[in-house]
Amino acid sequence: MKENIISSEISDVRNRLLHHQLYTEIKTDEDLRTFMSSHIYAVWDFMSLLKALQNSLTCTSTPWVPKGNPDLRYLINEIVLAEETDQDQHGNRMSHYEMYLNAMNAAGVATEKAQDNITKLSQSDHILDEIDSSALASHIKQFLTSTFSIIQRGKDHEIAAAFTYGREDLIPEMFTEILSGLATTQIATDLEPITYYFDRHIELDGDEHGPMAHKMVAMLCGDDPIKWQEAAQVSKEALESRITLFDGILEQIHSPALELA
């Protein structure tokens, strides 16, 4: 199978990420708040990858016309449906980004600064320049730069690979590791909202979105060996960028004086 090209390319870096020290170092309420204050940017740019694919693979403008492959339209729209309008633990409809913000509030994290930063980035016509000139911590800036560079190149198979192998394929195991670490702590914070968020992603991405995303990459790469190689390289880049993000969060946990932005 051509997917073996990607699996082989990312095997080592994926393994390093799934055994990252961060998962066992979130030991206190403040550690959790530090983690969430950086991780919210990864939650946001996940949605940006998703919407970039929807914009490219489906018609999202008027007047409407059928666009592209109907099977690809189905795959991406099904994923968007859950990611953008899922239900929280109380049955309220919201995106996973909004769900994460609620979990941050429950954990005692002030979200205004992150929301202001994200609003400013989202309104910029030159987002890479905006990221570069922002006051965000370097581990966040490099992560966002990696993601939006992939988006701006505009290659559907690369965006799908970053989304699939850097996100959907990884998240169930990664979030399981985080939950396992949290289970060994005495954190006083209300963990129900963030636990629900993690569990929901483990369920959706493992059982539904992961296989759908894999199929999407396979359809976009087809029999083109260059596309498969580019997809493999982008997948590796996305995973390495995540490691750098987690390295930065771990450094902040060990050195609380460091600022996010």
Side-chain angles (χ1 to χ4, degrees):
M1 290 179 62
K2 294 183 177 66
E3 281 190 275
N4 290 337
I5 296 171
I6 298 179
S7 298
S8 176
E9 182 73 22
I10 68 174
S11 176
D12 289 345
V13 65
R14 189 178 189 277
N15 186 61
R16 283 195 288 121
L17 182 53
L18 290 177
H19 291 86
H20 200 283
Q21 184 184 352
L22 175 65
Y23 310 137
T24 57
E25 291 297 310
I26 304 174
K27 298 176 180 178
T28 68
D29 294 75
E30 189 57 37
D31 294 343
L32 178 61
R33 288 191 280 267
T34 296
F35 169 79
M36 296 180 80
S37 295
S38 282
H39 189 248
I40 183 60
Y41 293 95
V43 176
W44 171 64
D45 85 345
F46 171 94
M47 295 299 297
S48 299
L49 282 167
L50 177 63
K51 298 302 284 188
L53 285 169
Q54 188 183 39
N55 288 339
S56 181
L57 300 178
T58 75
C59 182
T60 55
S61 60
T62 56
W64 179 88
V65 291
K67 178 180 178 181
N69 184 309
D71 290 326
L72 283 171
R73 295 199 301 258
Y74 168 77
L75 290 171
I76 194 62
N77 282 334
E78 278 292 302
I79 297 173
V80 168
L81 179 65
E83 297 290 349
E84 200 167 39
T85 56
D86 201 8
Q87 290 180 299
D88 70 3
Q89 70 270 31
H90 304 298
N92 301 309
R93 289 286 175 192
M94 63 183 66
S95 68
H96 287 170
Y97 170 76
E98 292 163 311
M99 199 181 296
Y100 199 87
L101 288 173
N102 286 345
M104 290 174 72
N105 286 324
V109 183
T111 61
E112 290 80 8
K113 183 181 288 188
Q115 288 182 273
D116 287 346
N117 288 335
I118 287 170
T119 296
K120 187 174 182 181
L121 291 174
S122 66
Q123 292 175 345
S124 175
D125 292 329
H126 306 282
I127 191 166
L128 292 177
D129 291 337
E130 192 69 42
I131 294 168
D132 183 58
S133 63
S134 74
L136 288 168
S138 60
H139 62 282
I140 298 172
K141 290 171 74 168
Q142 66 80 31
F143 190 79
L144 295 178
T145 297
S146 173
T147 297
F148 285 97
S149 294
I150 293 167
I151 291 172
Q152 287 203 356
R153 287 201 296 269
K155 295 184 177 183
D156 292 339
H157 62 286
E158 289 190 350
I159 300 171
F163 179 77
T164 300
Y165 293 94
R167 308 298 198 278
E168 296 284 33
D169 180 68
L170 173 79
I171 281 173
E173 291 178 77
M174 183 175 70
F175 283 179
T176 297
E177 291 298 323
I178 293 174
L179 285 176
S180 295
L182 290 176
T184 66
T185 71
Q186 299 297 318
I187 290 176
T189 293
D190 177 11
L191 291 176
E192 182 187 5
I194 190 60
T195 298
Y196 179 86
Y197 172 88
F198 287 146
D199 281 337
R200 188 70 179 131
H201 268 280
I202 291 167
E203 176 188 3
L204 277 175
D205 296 347
D207 297 339
E208 300 175 33
H209 293 179
M212 294 169 78
H214 276 268
K215 186 174 181 181
M216 184 165 53
V217 171
M219 292 177 68
L220 289 168
C221 289
D223 294 321
D224 189 331
I226 294 176
K227 286 184 176 180
W228 279 107
Q229 193 56 53
E230 288 177 341
Q233 184 58 43
V234 161
S235 300
K236 185 176 181 181
E237 174 189 332
L239 294 172
E240 288 174 337
S241 179
R242 174 81 67 163
I243 288 175
T244 303
L245 177 71
F246 283 2
D247 287 346
I249 297 173
L250 186 62
E251 184 179 358
Q252 287 184 319
I253 287 174
H254 291 160
S255 304
L258 293 174
E259 289 288 332
L260 282 175

